[in-house]
Amino acid sequence: MTRLVHWKWQLLAPACGVLLTFSFAPYDYSYFALPALAFFYRLCIAPARHAALSGYLFGLGLFGSGIWWVYISIHRFGGADPYSAGLLTLLLVAVWALFPALTAYLSAKLLAMAGVWFRILAVGLTWVAVEYLRGYWLLNGFPWLQIAYGQLNTPLAGYAPLVGVYGAGFLLAVSAALCAEMWRVRRLRLSGLLALCAIWGGGCLLRQVQWTHAVGAPIKVALLQGNIAQDQKWLEDQRQHTLSLYWQLTQQHWDADVIVWPETAIPVFLSQVKDFYLEPLSALARENGTDLLVSLPSEGEGKSYYNSVMSLGAREALYHKHHLLPFGEYLPLQPLSGWVLDRLAIPLGNFAAGAAEQPLLEAGGYPLVTTICYEDAFGELVSRQVGRAAYLVNVTNDAWFGDTSQPHQHMQIAQMRALETGRYLLRATNTGLSGIVMPNGKISARAPLFTTTALTGTIIPMAGLTPYARWGDSAVFAGLFLLVGMVWRLSKFQPGGWRRNELDGSL
């Protein structure tokens, strides 16, 4: 009978994974994360192998509904047939679903220990620790659908400048675990409710704190969105049209202090356009007192080449993308991955990574942190540079994924970087969503998807460091492990401490 009850819960696991997806953009049902994660916590109150299976099913629902748009890039723009594209998408979902399975397995082990507060905190820490493992280490990291990104419009966003995306995610996971335990354990309801009020009330208060301050006059900016179709972008007979389009859009906005072009807006190598295109453009920028940030591929030593951003105008310099997209800009697991993709006839880039430490670009009279596409998903990459920068710039090309949830999810990630660092963020994209994000993570201006336009507005150069930007993820995790360790020392450790009626009880 007990096993039947567990199977009934497991059948609902994929649906709860889907429910968690709805907490992210473009749906923005932020509070759906609480019941989804509370149900996940309940699934972990089981033998570890059963919990791992439940976690895997939960992960299939989460990633199947959350990153299905990978199919678009592989099939429509990567050239794979529908069968191969579907197979690769399913494989990707199956791999990432292993991480919720790992979380559930470890949580089941922790839930066999005594001390309800230890269990709650330990499971919350386990969730974000596995997120960190997925986000930074495996295959160069895939930090998509991390639970705190869906909380930008809730009180938990107030914690982002303090403890970053992982600290805010920890508090969300703890809140969900509290809800699950309060339902099960009647004696916990008063203290649990007080803890929830403290967590969420504290977030409301923190949202009122201004961690950084202005250091100069407003900067007028223009973000160009060329809306070049992905299947046309690299065609030789379309290059002149693309170059002319961005030239004309730029000519219309010489009154701006900074003009930003999207990722690889120039679809040819630097050496091919430097003399006849970039040098005249840079001269015009200097004449008009404007700085340009343009993006294009550039050559390195030997046969290597980079995905780059170049500043034109008062100062000319290059930034080379450091954190590359696996299976998009380079092939991990060589030579196996290359062999597989060759068999499927899917062409992918093989960029070289730029240095981890590069001089900051300058535009509008101030240094800035530059991220290219996927790099804005790595908070510590931004935070370790932001002390020298007055604002953030992200250039990207989400045309690979069509009119799906991906561009909205990516904008949500960019918003978190602005909130964590207390800086304005300029985001120029090929097909959208281009936007200006304020230091509080709110969007002040946004261009619609799939339109050719120039988004204009003003930003304010900022200085000062948020606690998260000062200390980074390492300090956040050190603090969380210390907290859980202290609670563990105060708890009575009992191997197999769950009583039979607790383990088999229902919600």
Side-chain angles (χ1 to χ4, degrees):
M1 182 67 181
T2 299
R3 182 169 297 179
L4 179 61
V5 170
H6 286 316
W7 276 109
K8 287 181 177 178
W9 289 119
Q10 286 173 335
L11 290 175
L12 292 175
C16 284
V18 174
L19 185 67
L20 182 57
T21 297
F22 278 93
S23 69
F24 300 99
Y27 317 106
D28 291 321
Y29 296 111
S30 301
Y31 293 100
F32 280 16
L34 280 170
L37 292 172
F39 184 85
F40 180 89
Y41 183 91
R42 174 60 182 85
L43 290 174
C44 297
I45 305 175
R49 65 182 185 279
H50 293 165
L53 174 59
S54 299
Y56 190 74
L57 295 172
F58 182 95
L60 290 178
L62 171 63
F63 290 105
S65 61
I67 63 168
W68 66 270
W69 33 257
V70 172
Y71 173 85
I72 302 294
S73 65
I74 298 173
H75 169 53
R76 186 184 303 175
F77 302 118
D81 63 85
Y83 175 80
S84 298
L87 183 62
L88 283 176
T89 302
L90 289 173
L91 178 62
L92 187 65
V93 169
V95 168
W96 296 124
L98 291 171
F99 287 88
L102 175 61
T103 302
Y105 179 85
L106 296 175
S107 297
K109 295 291 188 179
L110 292 167
L111 289 173
M113 299 180 181
V116 65
W117 289 103
F118 168 74
R119 296 194 299 265
I120 289 170
L121 295 175
V123 170
L125 177 55
T126 300
W127 182 281
V128 293
V130 173
E131 278 194 338
Y132 184 78
L133 175 67
R134 169 170 68 88
Y136 269 87
W137 298 109
L138 185 66
L139 300 180
N140 212 29
F142 185 69
W144 224 265
L145 298 182
Q146 292 182 336
I147 55 175
Y149 286 124
Q151 301 304 303
L152 284 169
N153 296 316
T154 75
L156 293 184
Y159 291 98
L162 191 66
V163 291
V165 69
Y166 294 108
F170 168 78
L171 292 171
L172 174 60
V174 165
S175 297
L178 265 171
C179 291
E181 287 286 7
M182 287 165 60
W183 188 276
R184 295 181 60 258
V185 183
R186 184 171 300 178
R187 60 181 172 80
L188 186 67
R189 290 178 182 174
L190 178 57
S191 58
L193 182 60
L194 291 174
L196 284 173
C197 290
I199 292 171
W200 291 73
C204 289
L205 295 176
L206 287 170
R207 295 226 70 172
Q208 312 308 312
V209 178
Q210 294 185 354
W211 300 98
T212 55
H213 58 274
V215 291
I219 300 171
K220 187 173 183 180
V221 301
L223 312 180
L224 307 188
Q225 183 173 294
N227 193 35
I228 306 296
Q230 188 60 38
D231 55 1
Q232 302 292 310
K233 183 177 176 66
W234 297 98
L235 297 180
E236 188 172 353
D237 59 1
Q238 293 296 314
R239 290 176 183 172
Q240 188 56 49
H241 165 72
T242 299
L243 295 175
S244 297
L245 172 64
Y246 279 103
W247 185 283
Q248 292 167 8
L249 288 172
T250 300
Q251 295 280 22
Q252 297 167 15
H253 293 90
W254 284 129
D255 59 331
D257 300 307
V258 177
I259 300 175
V260 187
W261 296 16
E263 181 186 13
T264 56
I266 300 175
V268 291
F269 283 100
L270 171 61
S271 61
Q272 297 175 271
V273 291
K274 183 177 180 180
D275 295 335
F276 82 91
Y277 191 78
L278 294 179
E279 288 185 358
L281 191 63
S282 187
L284 284 172
R286 288 191 294 271
E287 288 177 15
N288 289 277
T290 301
D291 290 317
L292 298 180
L293 296 172
V294 303
S295 181
L296 74 173
S298 64
E299 301 90 337
E301 295 181 0
K303 296 182 179 180
S304 63
Y305 53 95
Y306 301 103
N307 190 350
S308 305
V309 171
M310 185 175 189
S311 60
L312 302 175
R315 293 191 60 179
E316 294 186 6
L318 277 169
Y319 167 77
H320 302 309
K321 186 176 183 181
H322 170 65
H323 210 118
L324 301 179
L325 176 66
F327 300 107
E329 293 171 314
Y330 84 103
L331 299 179
L333 305 179
Q334 289 279 41
L336 175 61
S337 62
W339 182 86
V340 171
L341 293 172
D342 285 344
R343 302 286 79 72
L344 296 175
I346 300 175
L348 292 175
N350 193 17
F351 285 90
E357 298 295 333
Q358 302 179 51
L360 298 185
L361 300 182
E362 291 188 17
Y366 294 91
L368 58 109
V369 175
T370 308
T371 56
I372 300 177
C373 193
Y374 186 63
E375 287 186 310
D376 66 348
F378 300 91
E380 198 153 273
L381 183 150
V382 175
S383 66
R384 70 170 181 246
Q385 304 176 79
V386 78
R388 298 172 286 142
Y391 60 101
L392 314 177
V393 170
N394 173 251
V395 299
T396 195
N397 177 29
D398 287 331
W400 287 99
F401 308 102
D403 189 8
T404 66
S405 58
Q406 191 276 345
H408 303 273
Q409 293 171 356
H410 201 173
M411 172 59 90
Q412 207 169 44
I413 289 171
Q415 290 175 256
M416 181 62 76
R417 299 292 85 82
L419 179 59
E420 286 175 339
T421 59
R423 297 291 193 275
Y424 281 85
L425 181 143
L426 304 178
R427 186 166 190 265
T429 71
N430 176 25
T431 56
L433 295 166
S434 298
I436 300 173
V437 184
M438 297 185 292
N440 62 4
K442 301 294 184 181
I443 299 172
S444 63
R446 183 170 68 178
L449 283 166
F450 302 108
T451 58
T452 302
T453 187
L455 180 67
T456 60
T458 59
I459 64 170
I460 299 172
M462 307 294 287
L465 290 175
T466 63
Y468 171 73
R470 188 179 301 278
W471 302 111
D473 291 325
S474 297
V476 170
F477 275 104
L480 293 180
F481 275 104
L482 180 62
L483 172 64
V484 174
M486 291 173 59
V487 174
W488 177 77
R489 289 297 299 265
L490 296 172
S491 300
K492 185 178 179 181
F493 179 77
Q494 294 178 341
W498 283 100
R499 295 191 299 273
R500 175 63 59 182
N501 62 335
E502 286 181 326
L503 184 61
D504 297 340
S506 66
L507 281 173

